[in-house]
Amino acid sequence: MLPVTHQAQLNQPHPQGAMLLQAHNAIDLPKVQQQGDWRARLAISPFSSMDRQIQSLLNRLSCAAVTIATVILVLLIVKTPETCITDEPTSPQIRFPKSSCEATHRELVSIEKKNKRLWSTRDWRKKVDSFTELFHGIRNLGLLTNHSRVICVSAGAGHEVMALSEMGVIDITGVELIDSPPLVSRADPHNLPFFDGVFDVAFSAHLAEALFPSRFVTEMERTVRSGGVCVLLVEKCSEEDLQEIKGMFRRSSFLGARNVTLFGLKMIQIIMRNRIPP
């Protein structure tokens, strides 16, 4: 066991060792600080560079936008828009208007002028002549005279009405969902606005186009007087289809059917006579 004096000497730091430790710490501390600064710069440097690039790109876009806006403004100032007021004489040739101010108003054509133009076409005359030939056949059967009161249901543009008028029939009524004056008036074929039994003949060539064929036929039958006839034109069909059409008439008896031609199409003419009540 060492004496107390020697232990005290061992516990005291050596002067030279303390000096070396201080010198080492003085040398390493700047290095640590330099290493810390380098690492901080390494962590911050990429973000700072990216921010500078983004800022540079935004500046370029701003300059480009300002340049484009300036060019557009200059063009708008240099080229003034055309106005309605012009000193140039109007040219006789037709040209496409450059603005709404140059648009000319369309001439208002009267119904008489439209009808005259329509009725003079070859297609119109062809259809009217086809109906005329058909009605001559009905007249030859003794079912149609010049004094007969006739209703044409779903008359379209009125070809059949004109054909009857040219034949000399005086009292003709044409009805359709869309009117075509003066030949056709507006009315619903499924709900005719007429009293019972006011017509001698009811004619239609458009049963196939009816939304409710049974109702369509019932209205035709209702408006025809006892002893009058309903004449239907349908596309060529089978015997079964013919029986079905005949079954739609509740107050009429089958008078006859024959093959006819209308507009070059083969069709069947069905004639039903309204029964006289007992």
Side-chain angles (χ1 to χ4, degrees), residues 191-204:
N191 188 21
L192 296 175
F194 305 105
F195 292 113
D196 298 353
V198 295
F199 297 105
D200 301 309
V201 179
F203 173 82
S204 181

Side-chain angles (χ1 to χ4, degrees), residues 135-136 139 143-150 163-172 200-201:
F135 289 133
H136 274 300
R139 171 179 281 179
L143 304 175
L144 177 66
T145 66
N146 289 347
H147 299 287
S148 298
R149 292 168 297 177
V150 183
L164 289 168
S165 179
E166 292 179 353
M167 289 174 56
V169 179
I170 300 173
D171 192 346
I172 315 163
D200 301 309
V201 179

Side-chain angles (χ1 to χ4, degrees), residues 60-76:
R60 292 179 183 178
L61 291 176
S62 300
C63 293
V66 171
T67 304
I68 294 173
T70 304
V71 172
I72 293 175
L73 181 61
V74 170
L75 291 177
L76 290 176

Side-chain angles (χ1 to χ4, degrees), residues 31 101 177 244:
K31 288 184 179 181
C101 300
L177 288 173
E244 183 179 354

Side-chain angles (χ1 to χ4, degrees), residues 19-31:
M19 294 177 61
L20 291 175
L21 181 61
Q22 291 177 359
H24 177 74
N25 292 337
I27 293 172
D28 293 342
L29 184 60
K31 288 184 179 181

Side-chain angles (χ1 to χ4, degrees), residues 94-150:
I94 300 175
R95 60 189 180 88
F96 189 81
K98 295 181 180 179
S99 66
S100 60
C101 300
E102 296 182 356
T104 57
H105 296 286
R106 295 184 62 181
E107 181 183 356
L108 212 67
V109 182
S110 62
I111 295 178
E112 291 78 10
K113 192 172 182 179
K114 287 182 180 179
N115 288 337
K116 185 178 180 181
R117 186 183 304 168
L118 175 64
W119 297 345
S120 62
T121 60
R122 183 178 300 178
D123 182 68
W124 179 272
R125 286 309 317 172
K126 179 181 177 181
K127 291 181 178 179
V128 170
D129 292 342
S130 185
F131 273 116
T132 301
E133 183 179 355
L134 177 74
F135 289 133
H136 274 300
I138 299 175
R139 171 179 281 179
N140 294 336
L141 296 174
L143 304 175
L144 177 66
T145 66
N146 289 347
H147 299 287
S148 298
R149 292 168 297 177
V150 183

